[in-house]
Amino acid sequence: MPDSPTLVVAAAIVDDLDAPTALLAARRSGPVSLAGRWEFPGGKVEPGETPVQGVHRELREELGVGLRLGAELAGPDDGAWRLSEKYTMRLWLAEIVDGEPQPLVEHDELRWLPLGDWHQVPWLDADVRIVDALAAHAARV
């Protein structure tokens, strides 16, 4: 029986949970196969922590910010987003409540993308359908 995919957690950071007009994208600095592509910041859940604890820890480590989480954006793959054979991601909408985002770990640039231009950067392939779902969600809010 194949191993279960590793759970990754991430945040779709918007300027306002109630009426989002901008989305924060993070450009990968590595590995070489992913460098220069854009993603939602986050990472692997560590043993003994819940997914929510993991997303808070990861965003503090990667961007130096504290978050207020909004709704989870459930994916089509058993409620999650299948990134590859090895990784499945859960993603929450979030807004920054503490700190100024900085590319501290794994990223070399952050960019606020205005609503309607969320596809102006080359997202990681697995994240494109999530950006589509977020844009549809933002249009309904």
Side-chain angles (χ1 to χ4, degrees), residues 8-141:
V8 172
V9 291
I13 300 173
V14 293
D15 57 335
D16 184 331
L17 283 173
D18 297 322
T21 62
L23 173 68
L24 187 67
R27 187 172 67 184
R28 296 280 313 206
S29 55
V32 171
S33 62
L34 303 177
R37 303 286 298 276
W38 296 76
E39 70 174 359
F40 299 101
K44 296 177 193 143
V45 175
E46 292 186 351
E49 78 182 350
T50 67
V52 168
Q53 290 168 331
V55 77
H56 282 287
R57 177 190 48 75
E58 283 287 341
L59 275 288
R60 179 68 66 193
E61 290 174 4
E62 288 190 6
L63 305 183
V65 296
L67 302 174
R68 177 167 70 96
L69 294 186
E72 181 174 358
L73 186 69
D77 309 312
D78 294 324
W81 299 90
R82 171 76 82 168
L83 301 179
S84 68
E85 289 301 311
K86 293 171 67 173
Y87 298 104
T88 300
M89 183 168 73
R90 290 180 60 189
L91 179 98
W92 285 264
L93 287 154
E95 69 182 2
I96 296 169
V97 294
D98 178 44
E100 273 298 314
Q102 301 295 323
L104 302 175
V105 179
E106 296 185 8
H107 304 104
D108 61 5
E109 184 180 337
L110 303 176
R111 188 180 300 172
W112 284 103
L113 305 174
L115 186 62
D117 287 332
W118 288 359
H119 286 284
Q120 73 182 11
V121 298
W123 291 92
L124 293 175
D125 294 344
D127 286 355
V128 171
R129 67 184 181 148
I130 303 170
V131 175
D132 292 339
L134 280 170
H137 172 80
R140 292 190 303 267
V141 198

